[in-house]
Amino acid sequence: MDIFSKYLLTGLICIVALGQFVQVITRYVLQVPVMGLEETMLYPTVWLYILGSVNASRENSHIRANVLEIFIKTPRGHAILAVIGEIISLVVGLWLLSWAWDYTRYAWRVWRESPTLYIPTFYSDIALLIGLGLMMVYTAWHLFRHIHSLRTGEPA
């Protein structure tokens, strides 16, 4: 899974960078903008953002502002704080996942298309549901790891 996500994210960032490079060269150097390039760049850009968030959730490397860690001195206290944080993340994430599900059902029903190339936007809209679902799986996994470390006393 690590290798797959590494290559997928690298490929997506290369596609986005190449698309931006082509856009700048054709628009500002050659003075010939490529029609529809913005529309096609929407898909890898959205998937890159969402899958990047999933990767941060998988690595448990999201930016956190745990001020309480300064005041808590024991490893057990840190583990309890981590469990509470993961539970809050899981509750908020599941709430957002329910909204993403509603939005996905709406996007499926309406089946919008991009204005120039008529590409269905559903393929970028579904990224939010898939990404939030994967983030919740990883959050639950980290929660179970923290609970296990609390029970056994081993580091998470």
Side-chain angles (χ1 to χ4, degrees):
M1 187 67 177
D2 290 343
I3 295 171
F4 174 73
S5 66
K6 179 174 66 171
Y7 286 121
L8 179 63
L9 289 173
T10 302
L12 285 172
I13 202 163
C14 288
I15 290 169
V16 170
L18 180 67
Q20 293 302 314
F21 176 75
V22 167
Q23 182 74 341
V24 167
I25 295 298
T26 58
R27 180 170 292 205
Y28 298 110
V29 175
L30 302 176
Q31 300 293 322
V32 182
V34 177
M35 297 303 294
L37 186 59
E38 295 92 0
E39 288 181 16
T40 57
M41 292 311 300
L42 167 75
Y43 297 92
T45 302
V46 168
W47 279 100
L48 176 65
Y49 288 146
I50 298 297
L51 292 178
S53 298
V54 170
N55 189 52
S57 184
R58 180 181 59 81
E59 294 174 347
N60 204 16
S61 61
H62 280 288
I63 297 172
R64 293 192 167 112
N66 288 337
V67 178
L68 291 175
E69 284 185 354
I70 297 169
F71 301 109
I72 298 173
K73 303 297 183 198
T74 64
R76 181 169 173 77
H78 284 264
I80 291 170
L81 183 63
V83 167
I84 292 170
E86 297 293 350
I87 289 171
I88 291 171
S89 295
L90 199 59
V91 168
V92 171
L94 290 173
W95 177 50
L96 291 173
L97 186 62
S98 73
W99 281 10
W101 172 249
D102 291 342
Y103 179 70
T104 302
R105 288 188 327 177
Y106 166 77
W108 179 266
R109 188 179 76 240
V110 173
W111 199 257
R112 296 175 298 144
E113 294 176 338
S114 63
T116 305
L117 300 176
Y118 303 109
I119 302 169
T121 59
F122 180 78
Y123 301 120
S124 66
D125 295 338
I126 191 89
L128 187 60
L129 179 71
I130 292 170
L132 277 170
L134 288 172
M135 282 187 264
M136 292 306 95
V137 167
Y138 287 123
T139 302
W141 180 59
H142 291 301
L143 174 63
F144 290 129
R145 282 186 45 224
H146 290 303
I147 290 172
H148 177 71
S149 74
L150 244 171
R151 287 183 180 160
T152 61
E154 298 172 4

